[in-house]
Amino acid sequence: MNENKKLDICYSLISKNNILVLATQGNDGVHTSLMAYASSSDCREIYMVSSRNSRKCENISPFPQVSLLIDDRDHKIRDRRHEIKALTIKGIYLPVEDKAEEKNILNHISESVPQIAAAFSGPENMVIRIKAESFQLLDGPENSFSYYLESNVK
């Protein structure tokens, strides 16, 4: 399978899902969170929303490097485990400073994951924007593919 096909699988996993695991680093160690998300149209930015007082939000300001895990294990665990694809995204937290941009991102998240829109609409919440730096795709138990986005422009 060529590099473009593998990248298409990465982009498909990002665009067709809306749940991921976010891993952050803090003074007391690593913290993981199951998060709803939306992505930019080019799948190079991932958007989440959380309480400003959450551990993940406290971690990402001083330690902006994060890891995200998106997979397609639904309905494959029992009989088709060998077909599971898992994408690890290494990325960096980029604060959203512009209020208009923040509103656009919140609208996008609300459209992508309407179930959480009401829960995260107040001023006590913040947008978590992650700029993807690299992808590592695991396609089944043995096939791995890595791609560094910073040095490769789509």
Side-chain angles (χ1 to χ4, degrees):
M1 186 180 313
N2 70 30
E3 187 174 89
N4 287 335
K5 176 68 174 156
K6 291 175 185 175
L7 270 175
D8 287 344
I9 293 170
C10 295
Y11 296 137
S12 178
L13 279 168
I14 294 168
S15 63
K16 291 183 179 177
N17 288 285
N18 63 9
I19 298 288
L20 58 72
V21 176
L22 165 67
T24 61
Q25 174 69 39
N27 288 325
D28 59 348
V30 177
H31 177 69
T32 58
S33 304
L34 188 63
M35 304 287 292
Y37 76 92
S39 66
S40 61
S41 60
D42 67 358
C43 297
R44 297 198 176 216
E45 288 190 350
I46 306 294
Y47 311 117
M48 297 160 278
V49 63
S50 185
S51 167
R52 293 179 192 281
N53 297 321
S54 67
R55 188 165 166 198
K56 67 188 88 47
C57 289
E58 291 173 1
N59 285 350
I60 59 175
S61 290
F63 303 102
Q65 194 120 48
V66 302
S67 183
L68 309 172
L69 175 69
I70 300 170
D71 64 48
D72 68 350
R73 73 183 109 166
D74 288 351
H75 310 293
K76 292 182 180 177
I77 293 290
R78 177 165 285 164
D79 301 327
R80 298 172 32 218
R81 184 177 293 252
H82 63 284
E83 295 177 11
I84 294 173
K85 292 176 179 53
L87 176 64
T88 299
I89 301 170
K90 178 182 165 192
I92 188 112
Y93 165 66
L94 296 175
V96 179
E97 313 262 337
D98 182 71
K99 291 296 180 190
E101 182 180 17
E102 180 181 54
K103 184 177 179 180
N104 288 337
I105 291 171
L106 287 170
N107 287 338
H108 183 50
I109 293 170
S110 294
E111 291 168 4
S112 297
V113 194
Q115 304 86 340
I116 69 160
F120 291 105
S121 61
E124 67 280 1
N125 298 303
M126 65 179 268
V127 170
I128 300 171
R129 174 176 52 185
I130 305 300
K131 179 178 173 50
E133 296 179 330
S134 67
F135 293 152
Q136 181 181 7
L137 175 67
L138 185 61
D139 186 0
E142 297 177 4
N143 299 317
S144 181
F145 163 74
S146 294
Y147 188 80
Y148 297 90
L149 296 163
E150 291 303 305
S151 61
N152 298 292
V153 178
K154 182 179 175 186

